[in-house]
Amino acid sequence: MDLGIAGRVALVSGATSGLGLAVAIALAAEGARVAISGRDEQRLAAAADRVAAAAGRPDPSGRVRADRVDLRDQDAVRGWIDAVATDLGEPGIVVSNAGGPPAGPVTAFGLDAYRDAVELCLLAHIGFVQAVLPRLRAAGWGRILLVASETIRQPRPQYGLSNTVRPGLVGYAKSLVPEIGPDGVTINVLAPGYHRTPALTRQFTDPEAGLARIAAGIPVGRLGDPDDFAATAAFLASDRAGFITGSTVLVDGGATQGW
């Protein structure tokens, strides 16, 4: 299927590894001009090489850009968007991805931890969208994807901060739909379940045993591969998905269906 995004400019935050990197690679492989951001310069450089390889050599320089940006720093976000627009062209695809808050039950955290979670998992995404949205509306075309978690469908006891904060993204996205729809801009929330990523692997002292326990509880019988998630994101970012907006798309192998 031709997704119709060749030549489109995509912004992907939190793209140094895991799901964000997989999305950036998928978009580059479809011919998009991809700008990635992250906070760690070494990981960012390695990620940029992988995205450039997906974009195709020998001349990836005109299609890939990498910048050190903390999504919580609004001045940095606005500067990044301006620089990408100048270098690659006006953005059309926006994938807002950020790290998650610490794990633990709701009673394990004080109010400052909740404030930090709101900043990272809600306000950072909103600020990113607000900064880029005027450009999308002016262009008359845009795809916004907010990466959350399957916990927005049903809280998990060990993820109290995520359970509390991330559902706000759904309300924000749904509230935007009638305002931006007439301008050709869609917004959807992606809710990933357990995928085999470095972040998940680091949670276990015995990674393979821990990951096997999780996989046993997923109806499809395996963990997600980041490429599974990236394929879904690429479709929602495409011309073909122009009639999908305000949706929350679970990518979890059916794990939440029994909740």
Side-chain angles (χ1 to χ4, degrees), residues 17-18 159 193-214 223-224 226:
S17 67
Y159 297 119
Y194 288 113
H195 288 69
R196 186 179 285 271
T197 63
L200 179 61
T201 302
R202 286 194 297 268
Q203 294 184 25
F204 302 100
T205 55
D206 183 349
E208 287 308 313
L211 296 176
R213 287 195 299 272
I214 292 175
L223 293 170

Side-chain angles (χ1 to χ4, degrees), residues 27-51:
L27 294 174
E30 291 292 335
R33 298 175 180 267
V34 181
I36 64 172
S37 72
R39 292 180 291 171
D40 184 293
E41 289 187 359
Q42 186 173 359
R43 292 171 60 190
L44 188 60
D49 286 343
R50 293 184 61 186
V51 177

Side-chain angles (χ1 to χ4, degrees), residues 34-206:
V34 181
I36 64 172
S37 72
R39 292 180 291 171
D40 184 293
E41 289 187 359
Q42 186 173 359
R43 292 171 60 190
L44 188 60
D49 286 343
R50 293 184 61 186
V51 177
R57 298 196 184 272
D59 182 27
S61 59
R63 292 172 58 183
V64 177
R65 180 186 172 102
D67 294 275
R68 187 174 181 272
V69 180
D70 187 331
L71 207 62
R72 294 167 293 188
D73 183 339
Q74 289 303 295
D75 289 338
V77 169
R78 286 190 289 268
W80 178 43
I81 294 168
D82 290 343
V84 170
T86 299
D87 189 17
L88 300 183
E90 286 294 330
I93 298 167
V94 178
V95 182
S96 187
N97 179 52
V106 290
T107 55
F109 303 100
L111 196 56
D112 285 344
Y114 281 93
R115 289 193 180 99
D116 290 344
V118 169
E119 185 70 30
L120 177 63
C121 298
L122 182 59
L123 296 182
H125 294 284
I126 293 173
F128 188 12
V129 173
Q130 288 182 334
V132 75
L133 187 55
R135 294 177 178 273
L136 304 182
R137 299 178 84 172
W141 192 96
R143 301 287 184 266
I144 302 170
L145 302 179
L146 307 178
V147 181
S149 163
E150 66 177 4
T151 58
I152 62 176
R153 175 179 170 89
Q154 174 64 41
R156 286 184 179 270
Q158 69 271 33
Y159 297 119
L161 293 176
S162 180
N163 296 340
T164 302
V165 175
R166 290 190 192 273
L169 282 177
V170 176
Y172 176 70
K174 287 183 176 294
S175 298
L176 264 182
V177 167
E179 296 186 39
I180 64 178
D183 297 316
V185 182
T186 68
I187 183 167
N188 293 287
V189 177
L190 278 166
Y194 288 113
H195 288 69
R196 186 179 285 271
T197 63
L200 179 61
T201 302
R202 286 194 297 268
Q203 294 184 25
F204 302 100
T205 55
D206 183 349

